[in-house]
Amino acid sequence: MSHLDDPARPAPPLGMLAELTHRCPLQCPYCSNPLELTRKRDELDTATWQRVFAEAAELGVLQVHLSGGEPAARPDLEALVASCVEHGLYTNLITAGVNLPRARLEALAEAGLDHVQLSIQGANAEVNDRIANLPGAFAKKMAFARDVTAVGMPLTLNSVIHRHNLHQLPELVELALDLGARRLEIAHAQYYGWALENRAALMPPREQVMDALALVEAARERLAGKLVIDAVVPDYYARLPKPCMNGWGRQSLNVTPAGRVLPCHAAETIPGLAFWDVREHGLGEIWYDSPAFNAYRGTAWMPDTCQRCERREIDWGGCRCQALALTGEASQMDPVCERSPYHDEVQTLAIVDASRDAEFRYRRFGR
């Protein structure tokens, strides 16, 4: 019996995040990459990535998000894009856009790149460059965005929102329109990795968040058919958890620069989970059989309150990494859920952090 014929087996994944490198020219204080970054010498080589893409297509993956760090830091990026195209995978490049000249963008388009997602830290140079801690970054991003549309590729702008740029939402919407973007992603900071270290400097007050949500809804209605706007509410102010990654090990997987395969971007923060490596295991074997992917898959692992909840197969228990960060136990209820005993404590924590006047702590990259 094949995996597809076995009702006890999970469905194959639809998407894969290929984290090609942790190297990055920016030092964003909300960075969700691990505190311990993979060094260049430990990154997967070209041939291994090409094998992983072939295995992903065979497994059932439809789209690959080429990410980092900054994926353009790899000189083999064009070859990796071409390998994805060879195996019928839709490719989305997630980039800071500050080290991709027009000639290289054209080479990526020639290799078959389907889509570009550009991160933007603010709607003007003053805000953007202070958050990214890179003078001149905004001007480079604007030039890159115009190059993307000039070569005929669809463009998405992604802005991680927090206390220091939330006031710029109207300007970000207008900027997306001006640049010819098809989509604008408004993603409130998720407090893992380096972002957790900066939570007190990033957490916005509740009133600012609610005003921003109303603005987003009005912009969606006004720009329907012109610009798609996706928005993610900050978890700490929510009543119900989000279905993190649409459920642990249900629809997507991450491959780290060092080759470990994760159910979600921050899963390595959870102690006691052994993440299998593509150097030692095939991608299909990892997806179906690795203990880490099966640890929180489905509903059997859930606490009693979640087991009895009518939303158990809607939010799939929420976020395990958030449960760990806020309660000390990954198997706890997601504490943003109003039924969690930690819910009020988390909302109080958010209010306290939002009232603090903390400075950014920028990540310093080692060699």
Side-chain angles (χ1 to χ4, degrees), residues 18 20-21 23 66-77 93-96 104:
L20 303 180
T21 181
R23 291 172 281 153
L66 301 165
S67 179
E70 174 48 62
R74 289 193 59 126
D76 60 353
L77 181 58
L93 179 66
I94 302 174
T95 178
R104 193 165 188 211

Side-chain angles (χ1 to χ4, degrees), residues 18 38 69 85 91 102 121 139 142 147 162 172 181 184 191 217 225 246 258 301 304 313:
T38 298
V85 173
T91 51
R102 173 69 175 263
Q121 287 69 44
M142 295 302 97
D147 284 344
H162 45 81
L172 286 168
L184 172 64
Y191 297 106
E217 286 306 314
N246 289 312
W301 63 270
D304 288 345
E313 293 188 3

Side-chain angles (χ1 to χ4, degrees), residues 334-355:
D334 188 327
V336 307
C337 179
E338 61 187 356
R339 300 177 184 180
S340 165
Y342 294 91
H343 178 74
D344 291 342
E345 181 180 325
V346 169
Q347 299 233 330
T348 301
L349 180 154
I351 293 169
V352 170
D353 272 358
S355 69

